[in-house]
Amino acid sequence: MNAKPTPAKKAPSTRPDGVVTLEQVAELAGVSPSTVSRILNGTAAVSQAKKDAVQAAIQELGFRPNPVARGLAGGRTLSVGVVTQIISSPFYGEALLGIERELERAGYVPLFVSGNWHEDDEREAIETLLSRRVDGVIVLAGRIADAELTKVSDSLPVVVVGRQLSGPQLFSFSFDNRAGARLATQHLIEQGHRRIAFIAGDLMHDDAVERQNGYLDAHAAAGIPVDQNLIVQSDYTEAGGMLSVTRLLERDAHFTALFASNDQMAIGACLGLHRRNLRVPDDVSLVGFDDLIMARYSMPPLTTVRQSVYEIGVEAATAMLEMLRGGKPRAQLPEPELVVRESTRRMQR
């Protein structure tokens, strides 16, 4: 006698407004609504078969989880505040993209606010985010005092990029800027250059200080005296790089190579050299720092130190999500890497 085939489950009828509910997913999957909820939140200790059944039901019904309801159920808003400095900056743009994609994968929404490299603006930005009841705050560099960030972390998780801070709900990490700058300067020295100009960033920022230290380290290791007349401080912008070249040349500071603390200043410096009828790399070899997309398409393509800005954003978001889960955050960034392109050449004797 042949057994009768098990009839396929009939999909539950939808609401009049067409919205599919969690209960309908549970009914079709053959599990309880609480199980569906826990699977969606990633907290369910259930068999893979049940997870597969729930995912199949979600696909068949076209269910879309309600993030607001999920957040309220867990006492969260499923949002993370991000204090950047200048949203229009190509550097911060790549970092924000990494943060956005990683948070969205976990069902969180980022709220971006600019600090504009101004302490009062950063403080106001954080207050705005706290008033929106974000679940955590990511801070990209900035000038607000360490003590204030520590105080903010008393009430919610905080991840800071570009500083060295720690606390029960405070995590920070930074790229090895000193080693990267040392690589850039060593490359120029190995190409036979001894008169290497340096455009520093704003020395109120830790990364600017570390990059200048790397420049000095490479000179010391090679036994080359540093001429302070070859060092100018700028502001990490293209215009700042161009004006820095003018300042160097007005000092009659002879140099055969130039290391700028970021790609934006290097590209501005390249224009400044061009306007003085100095060719890169024939007259002056040029190195930047960051390896932004623009570095690959500048004329000539820019030799630079690669730090994956996108990956920095991903790591910041990953650390925040780990803290929100109650885990111990960590960050793993690749070591600095020199990317040699066409803006440097061996010095002609």
Side-chain angles (χ1 to χ4, degrees):
M1 184 175 180
N2 294 330
K4 292 182 179 180
T6 303
K9 275 189 181 174
K10 183 180 177 183
S13 58
T14 57
R15 294 183 352 185
D17 57 9
V19 175
V20 179
T21 66
L22 183 140
E23 287 75 15
Q24 290 170 321
V25 172
E27 183 181 344
L28 182 59
V31 298
S32 68
S34 62
T35 297
V36 175
S37 178
R38 285 184 287 115
I39 288 173
L40 291 173
N41 291 329
T43 59
V46 298
S47 68
Q48 188 60 47
K50 285 187 177 181
K51 290 181 181 179
D52 292 342
V54 169
Q55 289 302 323
I58 288 172
Q59 287 289 108
E60 182 175 337
L61 296 174
F63 175 70
R64 302 177 107 185
N66 185 330
V68 175
R70 286 175 61 197
L72 290 174
R76 291 180 174 176
T77 62
L78 296 180
S79 62
V80 171
V82 182
V83 181
T84 182
Q85 295 309 319
I86 302 173
I87 287 179
S88 61
S89 160
F91 178 89
Y92 287 106
E94 288 192 32
L96 296 181
L97 181 61
I99 290 172
E100 180 180 50
R101 287 182 175 172
E102 194 65 21
L103 290 179
E104 286 182 345
R105 285 179 55 195
Y108 280 80
V109 175
L111 301 180
F112 300 124
V113 189
S114 288
N116 304 309
W117 289 116
H118 194 284
E119 188 173 344
D120 290 340
D121 288 353
E122 291 170 21
R123 188 177 296 113
E124 183 177 343
I126 290 174
E127 289 299 324
T128 297
L129 293 171
L130 293 178
S131 72
R132 297 296 182 98
R133 303 183 64 82
V134 295
D135 297 328
V137 173
I138 297 172
V139 180
L140 301 178
R143 291 183 173 175
I144 193 168
D146 292 351
E148 291 190 57
L149 292 175
T150 302
K151 186 175 181 181
V152 172
S153 73
D154 289 341
S155 57
L156 81 175
V158 176
V159 173
V160 185
V161 178
R163 302 198 201 182
Q164 294 299 321
L165 301 170
S166 63
Q169 290 197 103
L170 179 60
F171 177 73
S172 68
F173 67 94
S174 61
F175 185 73
D176 194 341
N177 291 285
R178 188 167 188 161
R182 189 163 54 243
L183 274 178
T185 312
Q186 284 174 348
H187 170 67
L188 293 170
I189 292 171
E190 289 167 0
Q191 296 302 304
H193 297 282
R194 296 297 180 266
R195 301 282 298 172
I196 303 170
F198 177 64
I199 305 178
D202 185 341
L203 295 178
M204 289 187 68
H205 307 157
D206 290 347
D207 59 353
V209 173
E210 288 302 294
R211 292 178 193 185
Q212 179 162 311
N213 286 338
Y215 166 83
L216 298 174
D217 289 346
H219 279 77
I224 302 171
V226 173
D227 183 351
Q228 294 295 329
N229 207 37
L230 292 177
I231 300 175
V232 291
Q233 184 179 334
S234 191
D235 60 0
Y236 281 148
T237 67
E238 292 88 348
M242 185 174 66
L243 291 172
S244 294
V245 165
T246 299
R247 289 166 58 194
L248 284 165
L249 295 175
E250 286 177 349
R251 294 177 184 177
D252 289 327
H254 173 66
F255 55 93
T256 62
L258 173 60
F259 170 33
S261 284
N262 74 344
D263 290 346
Q264 290 171 255
M265 289 196 298
I267 288 169
C270 191
L271 177 58
L273 292 167
H274 170 74
R275 289 183 172 174
R276 294 298 188 104
N277 295 316
L278 294 170
R279 299 164 299 169
V280 175
D282 295 344
D283 299 314
V284 178
S285 284
L286 179 64
V287 178
F289 198 113
D290 288 333
D291 195 27
L292 300 179
I293 291 176
M294 64 174 64
R296 304 165 204 176
Y297 300 103
S298 63
M299 286 297 291
L302 184 65
T303 294
T304 185
V305 175
R306 175 176 293 158
Q307 63 165 333
S308 177
V309 183
Y310 176 87
E311 189 65 27
I312 287 173
V314 169
E315 290 293 320
T318 301
M320 173 56 68
L321 292 170
E322 189 61 33
M323 293 175 79
L324 291 171
R325 297 185 192 105
K328 186 175 181 180
R330 61 189 181 88
Q332 290 184 323
L333 293 177
E335 294 297 315
E337 176 189 354
L338 181 72
V339 181
V340 179
R341 297 194 179 101
E342 297 163 47
S343 67
T344 55
R345 61 177 293 181
R346 180 165 292 280
M347 183 180 173
Q348 302 300 304
R349 299 292 182 183

